[in-house]
Amino acid sequence: MHVKISEKLRRKLMNDNIVHWKNGIKDGIPICLGYFAVSFTFGIMAKNAGLTPFQAVFMSVTNLTSAGQFAALGLIGVSSTYIEMAVTQLILNLRYCLMSCSISQKLDSQKAFLHRFLVAYGVTDEIFGVSVCKNGTLNPFYNYGLMSAAVPGWTFGTLLGVLSGSILPERIISALSIAIYSMFLAIIFPPARGNKLLACIILISMLMSLLFAKLPVFSHISAGFKIIILTLLIAGIAALLFPIKEEVEEEHADFGQCVAPLLEKGGAE
């Protein structure tokens, strides 16, 4: 009798996991479409940077970070050192540590460590945003569903971008390559419109990034360390002079995500 009850419970848990996984796929379809558009541009830029299709796709499969991957292409283009690449990626992707901690609090404490390890692989800005909005305890299979939709979208878009880089005319490739700038503008403008302080900091970030890229006195600083210096300098000063109050923390939660792309593009040029 005990064996029959255990088998029944096992099947029920399996069915519940399948339901959560399907719901995750459904909620991940919009993420997949958005990732496909951005990763297509990344694939084109990876082709221009000299990466093979395998190298570009492997980078997308193992990283899942648009800002980090685009920054990596800039660093590869200027022959940066491994240390510069490692430190740059650490700073640009440090926010994922906080996101992982938040998701970890929502996961069922009875789940094995392996589930937490696998969920951590798929922590991105969009997957995190969808996951934390789920009510109650988070089933890891829901995240697996999100990842099942988002990761192929990001990877397949990269592959098509690399292949198109060899097929499409140079003018079309050049036009598509600026799509990443449009994505950054879409990230920057909405939060800045309703916040004068944030708009001012973004403007200062743009100006300082331009100075670091054009002034001869900074020419001896590599592109990787320009990103590091600017990120720490501007973010540190802003946090010191204008600390975010707890009651409005959610309103400014994307401050770091708005500034980092600007520093990344300016410092890598």
Side-chain angles (χ1 to χ4, degrees):
M1 183 67 179
H2 177 70
V3 175
K4 293 182 179 180
I5 294 177
S6 299
E7 179 67 18
K8 183 178 180 180
L9 179 60
R10 187 185 66 83
R11 291 183 179 180
K12 181 179 183 303
L13 291 176
M14 182 178 296
N15 292 334
D16 289 342
N17 290 336
I18 293 175
V19 171
H20 284 290
W21 178 70
K22 290 181 178 180
N23 291 335
I25 293 179
K26 179 180 178 181
D27 293 343
I29 291 177
I31 300 177
C32 172
L33 298 177
Y35 280 2
F36 181 87
V38 177
S39 62
F40 185 86
T41 304
F42 170 77
I44 293 176
M45 296 181 66
K47 174 68 176 180
N48 294 338
L51 271 66
T52 65
F54 173 79
Q55 291 171 335
V57 171
F58 186 76
M59 181 184 291
S60 289
V61 171
T62 56
N63 283 270
L64 300 180
T65 164
S66 59
Q69 290 183 222
F70 280 105
L73 292 182
L75 296 176
I76 291 173
V78 296
S79 301
S80 297
T81 65
Y82 290 128
I83 294 179
E84 292 174 346
M85 291 184 182
V87 176
T88 300
Q89 294 301 317
L90 175 64
I91 293 177
L92 289 177
N93 300 315
L94 193 60
R95 67 188 186 278
Y96 293 129
C97 292
L98 300 177
M99 294 181 187
S100 297
C101 290
S102 178
I103 291 181
S104 178
Q105 298 300 312
K106 288 182 62 67
L107 288 174
D108 187 353
S109 59
Q110 301 299 322
K111 296 296 183 181
F113 173 78
L114 179 62
H115 286 296
R116 297 177 182 273
F117 185 82
L118 295 175
V119 168
Y121 159 74
V123 175
T124 66
D125 297 337
E126 293 74 17
I127 290 179
F128 167 77
V130 175
S131 299
V132 296
C133 290
K134 296 292 293 183
N135 295 326
T137 302
L138 186 64
N139 189 306
F141 282 87
Y142 176 78
N143 284 69
Y144 298 157
L146 293 175
M147 294 157 57
S148 297
V151 175
W154 182 255
T155 305
F156 189 58
T158 299
L159 177 61
L160 288 186
V162 176
L163 298 179
S164 299
S166 304
I167 300 175
L168 296 178
E170 184 176 352
R171 290 185 177 181
I172 296 180
I173 294 176
S174 178
L176 290 174
S177 296
I178 66 173
I180 186 62
Y181 294 96
S182 301
M183 185 192 74
F184 287 151
L185 292 177
I187 295 174
I188 293 168
F189 283 162
R193 290 176 59 185
N195 189 313
K196 295 182 179 180
L197 174 60
L198 183 58
C200 180
I201 294 176
I202 290 175
L203 180 60
I204 294 175
S205 302
M206 296 173 65
L207 294 176
M208 292 188 65
S209 182
L210 178 62
L211 291 176
F212 267 63
K214 300 300 183 183
L215 290 182
V217 68
F218 300 117
S219 60
H220 65 283
I221 303 177
S222 65
F225 277 106
K226 284 180 181 178
I227 298 175
I228 296 171
I229 294 172
L230 286 170
T231 301
L232 294 177
L233 182 63
I234 298 175
I237 294 176
L240 180 63
L241 298 180
F242 308 102
I244 299 176
K245 296 181 180 180
E246 184 175 354
E247 58 268 21
V248 296
E249 184 173 338
E250 182 177 353
E251 178 182 351
H252 304 288
D254 53 2
F255 164 72
Q257 299 177 36
C258 294
V259 176
L262 289 173
L263 303 180
E264 168 194 326
K265 300 308 294 180
E269 293 178 349

